[in-house]
Structure formats: C-alpha cells, structure tokens
Amino acid sequence: GGTFPLNGANFQITNGASSVAAASFDVRSLRSTTASIDIGQKAYEITRFELAETGSKEDLKFKSITLFNNGSTADGDLKNITLKDQDGNVLAKVDTTTNKYLTFNLATPAVVPLGTTRVYSVEVDVENGATRTAQLAVQNDFDVCLEGASTSATILTATKAGGTDTSFPIGDASAAAPGTAGSNHITINEGSLTITKDNSSPSGDITKGGTNLTLAIFKVQAVGEDIELQTDSTFNMADL
C-alpha cells in the first residue's frame, strides 16, 4: 500500500563559511636572481610554496598539486622531481614532466592544521638541458586539490593577500621580469671541456729510431654534458 508522492527527509542549505575550511596559496622566494645550475646537480630545490588554512574552522587536507614548467627545458631534462614538506619528508615523486606538466598525488594527504601555514619544497635532478631554463608554477587555483578534514568539502584556494605572487599563475614572476624575486627561475649551464697532462705521462729521453713511442698521455674531461670532439690541435713538444 501507501500513497504518492513519496517524500524523503528535508535538507537545508547553509552557508559553509561558518564551518568549512578556507585556504591561501603562495610561492616562497628562494633567490633574487636567476640561478645558474650545472648538469648533474642532484636534489636541487627549484621552488618552494606555502599553503595556509585561513578559515580556522577545520583542518585542511592537501591531496595533490599540478605544476607547469614555465621554462624552456624539455621533458626529461629534469628528473626525480620530488615534493617534500617543511620537515624534509617526501610526500610524492614523479620521474619527469609530461608535455611540461607534472602532478604530485599524495598517497596520504598532508594535513594543514586550522589557522596554520605549511611550506612545501620541490627538488629536481638536472639531467640535461644546457642553456635552457626552468621554472615551476601553479597555473590555476583548481590545480591545488584540497579538502576539509571534517566536512570532506572540496576547497578552492585563494591567493595570499599581500603575498609574493598575488594572482594565478603562482610562481611565474619572471614571465614579466626574468630573474626577479619570487620567480625561482634557473638556467642550466652549458658544458665545458678540460684537457690536462696526466700524471702517468712519460718524461725523460727517448731512443733514436724508436717506434710506437708514447710521447704524452692527456686526460680529457667533459663537465656538465657530453661533448663531441670534432677537431684536434697541435701542441709544442716543449710543453710535454
């Protein structure tokens, strides 16, 4: 039996400002000028961000973040890209960028206690990319995935009032003024080649009429990147 219409429970829409978390996001300036980095540098801190819970209503869960490489480096130039918290704990890691983007998905969301600020660093291994640039920025507010710890409500971050970068994208300050404070912009150094006489190089007299004699042994070392030797040069025998 029964009668129609069937009615469920009544629900009321309330203003979440009284119970839901709020957030702000900003970049932390690591240097005042563009940094020059050698190929082969490991675990280099390329940028740093801060995330604050500003509503003081509930803790904030930080679940993921998507970054864009605003520089000229190619996918694969920067490797082992790692997100760490302010205590140095590894929160997530990706191998490299894909079409200049990367996303850190935290296996366990990082908690930002209500009314506090937490700082996060991004470290990279510089594998290649001589003379190219790199800079990691957050393009949009929805690229930072946040959730209220108690309400499970999705939180959209705001920019920090009076912060280093007050509009999205966050972290791209050098787009207007390369190398300015807050840009966390790097240039990868080109390689170099050094040639030195090795300690094992022979010295002293040689016998007249000798054949296949070793006159000198040189050490050739490439620094920063692979270098192709295309021409040779003459040298003074007196230098040996």
Side-chain angles (χ1 to χ4, degrees), residues 31 34-46 78 124-132 134 185-191 224:
R31 62 194 72 87
T34 295
S36 297
I37 308 300
D38 290 331
I39 293 174
Q41 178 79 42
K42 303 294 185 182
Y44 178 78
E45 186 180 13
I46 189 170
L78 305 180
V124 299
D125 292 349
V126 181
E127 295 288 333
N128 210 335
T131 72
R132 296 172 184 163
H185 185 273
I186 69 169
T187 297
I188 300 174
N189 294 327
E190 62 182 344

Side-chain angles (χ1 to χ4, degrees), residues 46-230:
I46 189 170
T47 195
R48 189 182 298 174
F49 296 101
E50 67 172 61
L51 176 63
E53 197 294 311
T54 58
S56 296
K57 301 296 189 300
E58 62 176 333
D59 293 348
L60 195 63
K61 286 185 177 181
F62 174 29
K63 302 177 69 176
S64 72
I65 184 170
T66 297
L67 302 173
F68 174 72
N69 179 4
N70 196 47
S72 60
T73 48
D75 296 340
D77 287 345
L78 305 180
K79 303 275 284 186
N80 297 322
I81 308 174
T82 304
L83 178 68
K84 292 185 176 181
D85 66 16
Q86 61 192 37
D87 298 318
N89 300 308
V90 175
L91 302 180
K93 181 181 289 189
V94 298
D95 179 57
T96 188
T97 55
T98 301
N99 296 323
K100 300 181 79 70
Y101 283 92
L102 68 97
T103 298
F104 290 118
N105 291 301
L106 283 64
T108 301
V111 176
V112 181
L114 60 89
T116 67
T117 300
R118 292 291 183 265
V119 179
Y120 303 95
S121 298
V122 180
E123 296 180 355
V124 299
D125 292 349
V126 181
E127 295 288 333
N128 210 335
T131 72
R132 296 172 184 163
T133 62
Q135 179 191 58
L136 298 181
V138 177
Q139 295 285 80
N140 306 287
D141 51 7
F142 53 78
D143 287 329
V144 185
C145 184
L146 305 172
E147 183 180 279
S150 300
T151 62
S152 297
T154 298
I155 309 299
L156 200 61
T157 187
T159 58
K160 180 182 178 181
T164 300
D165 204 344
T166 56
S167 64
F168 285 93
I170 296 290
D172 71 336
S174 70
T180 58
S183 64
N184 296 343
H185 185 273
I186 69 169
T187 297
I188 300 174
N189 294 327
E190 62 182 344
S192 61
L193 185 73
T194 59
I195 302 176
T196 57
K197 188 171 71 172
D198 194 78
N199 292 332
S200 63
S201 185
S203 60
D205 298 332
I206 58 175
T207 304
K208 182 179 180 181
T211 59
N212 295 322
L213 299 176
T214 299
L215 300 181
I217 298 174
F218 291 97
K219 182 179 180 181
V220 181
Q221 182 177 16
V223 178
E225 62 178 323
D226 295 338
I227 294 179
E228 180 181 359
L229 295 177
Q230 296 182 333

